[in-house]
């Protein structure tokens, strides 16, 4: 087993923050993971693609980089197909693999960075689709015992950017394989205005899953910074959900407030709008700042320290709370 001491994590997080891991190991199979767990006595941090992380200090203990590969058609039914992917598979490459097979369900989740193993952690979502919509089950190794557990949908407690793995079971399991139920005759989800508009501009009347994927890639590329060019972790905060009563009050003071009524009776307010209204959009503070095209995305202009980004996040939270009485919470995992 190759345990590397003091390894820089800069190439392993999309924010590009330069911190070190006390110890680092890349695991390529469940067997290897089990052996690592037998040998190790240190605290463990599981790392995927590092695209939902803000590292504010060196990581004490052992970082296990999940590189378990494998994509497979598990069961083929007349209408649906069950597929699986190893936790270390690149998410977007997996989406493209399913599209190539003509299987629908995750085309709206194209171009989300990171690895398959992290996709259930925050129930990734974009353009009207969430992982939970196609999730079948997952296999995860318990870090304390090395035992493999199976989690069905009901066990995962999926919510908006939430799951049991961010709450009660945080840091307790390594997700090694995820199973999805996809469709041979998918009902396309074109509810998101931007997808409809992009398809209209291209004069596509009867879109395929490939067309939807391409549209999503185009929309995302037009406003989200590419981590290869500008360090970031996507949306830094969650979009807050507030009560109807609080919303009515706010609307009196801010008649142009952007909002989305939810099925649960609450109202979702885009955090990007709140942050922009507080004057942060495109503002640079030292080596960090809020992105010029998407205020919700905090960026690293080159040499930012994690703590610097964190301080900016705290300032943004304070100013949004002062102006709107809404307390933003981080979507990104701060370590
Ligand atoms: P990491 O950042 O490596 O880890 C995230 C958390 O999961 C950590 O707590 C880690 O310990 C844990 N973890 C990782 N792998 C495992 C595992 N195998 N087992 C147990 N725990 C694990 N997210 C969305 O939902 N929608 C979007 O549209 C979206 N757009 C983005 C755009 C950009 C430009 C960027 C940079 C990020 C975006 N994200 C988005 C966030 C991110 O891509 C997702 O959260 C992704 O699933 C993170 O995967 P990862 O492998 O990089 O996880
Ligand atoms: N807006 C502004 N100013 C901004 C940004 C947004 O006013 O700077 C307002 C606009 O009114 C815009 C609305 O917010 O129409 C929504 O913006 P956008 O469509 O860009 O989506 P979002 O709510 O900011 C969410 C997710 C993204 C996901 C997109 C598409 C969260 C926290 N973020 O962003 O996920 O890709 O919707 O579905 O839910 C991520 O999780 O990292 C992520 C990028």
């Amino acid at each position: 087993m190759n345990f590397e001491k003091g390894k820089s994590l800069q190439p392993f997080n999309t924010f590009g923050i330069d911190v070190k891991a006390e110890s680092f190991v890349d695991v390529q199979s469940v067997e290897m993971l089990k052996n690592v767990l037998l040998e190790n006595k240190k605290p463990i941090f599981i790392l995927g693609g590092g695209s939902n992380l803000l590292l504010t200090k060196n990581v004490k203990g052992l970082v296990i980089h999940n590189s378990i590969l494998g994509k497979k058609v598990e069961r083929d039914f007349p209408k649906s197909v069950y597929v699986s992917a190893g936790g270390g598979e690149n998410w977007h490459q997996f989406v493209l693999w399913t599209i190539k097979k003509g299987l629908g369900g995750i085309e709206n989740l194209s171009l989300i960075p990171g690895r398959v193993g992290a996709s259930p952690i925050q129930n990734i979502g974009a353009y009207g689709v969430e992982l939970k919509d196609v999730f079948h089950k997952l296999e995860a190794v318990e870090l304390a015992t090395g035992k493999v557990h199976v989690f069905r949908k009901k066990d995962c407690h999926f919510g908006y950017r939430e799951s049991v793995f961010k709450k009660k079971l945080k840091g307790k399991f390594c997700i090694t394989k995820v199973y999805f139920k996809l469709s041979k005759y998918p009902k396309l989800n074109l509810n998101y205005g931007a997808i409809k508009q992009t398809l209209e501009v291209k004069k596509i009347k009867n879109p395929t899953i490939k067309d939807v994927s391409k549209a999503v890639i185009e929309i995302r590329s037009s406003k989200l910074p590419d981590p290869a060019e500008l360090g970031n972790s996507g949306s830094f905060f969650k979009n807050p959900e507030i009560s109807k009563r609080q919303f009515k009050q706010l609307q009196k003071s801010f008649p142009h407030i952007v909002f989305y009524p939810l099925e649960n009776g609450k109202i979702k307010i885009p955090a990007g709008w709140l942050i922009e209204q507080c004057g942060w959009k495109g503002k640079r503070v030292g080596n960090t700042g809020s992105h010029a095209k998407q205020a919700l995305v905090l960026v690293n202009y080159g040499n930012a320290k994690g703590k610097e980004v964190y301080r900016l996040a705290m300032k943004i939270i304070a100013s949004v709370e002062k102006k709107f009485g809404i307390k933003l919470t981080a979507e990104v995992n701060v370590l």
Side-chain angles (χ1 to χ4, degrees), residues 19 35 66 100 131 135 185 201 221 236 243 259 272 278 283 325:
V19 296
N35 288 333
N66 182 339
K100 215 169 172 186
L131 179 98
F135 178 88
Y185 306 98
V201 168
S221 307
F236 195 92
S243 67
F259 65 98
C278 291
K283 197 166 174 175

Side-chain angles (χ1 to χ4, degrees), residues 33 50 90 96 137-138 154 172-173 195 204 221 229 247 262 277 334:
L33 174 61
N90 173 281
L96 295 182
K137 65 176 181 180
L138 65 78
K154 66 173 174 23
K172 300 214 182 306
F173 284 89
I195 298 186
I204 298 174
S221 307
E229 286 160 19
F247 173 69
L262 298 174
Q277 298 304 305
V334 180

Side-chain angles (χ1 to χ4, degrees), residues 46 48-52 66 113 115 118 121-122 124-125 173 175 220 234:
I46 307 292
S51 65
N52 206 21
N66 182 339
R115 297 187 165 186
I121 303 279
Q122 72 158 9
I124 56 170
F173 284 89
I175 297 173
R220 295 181 68 96

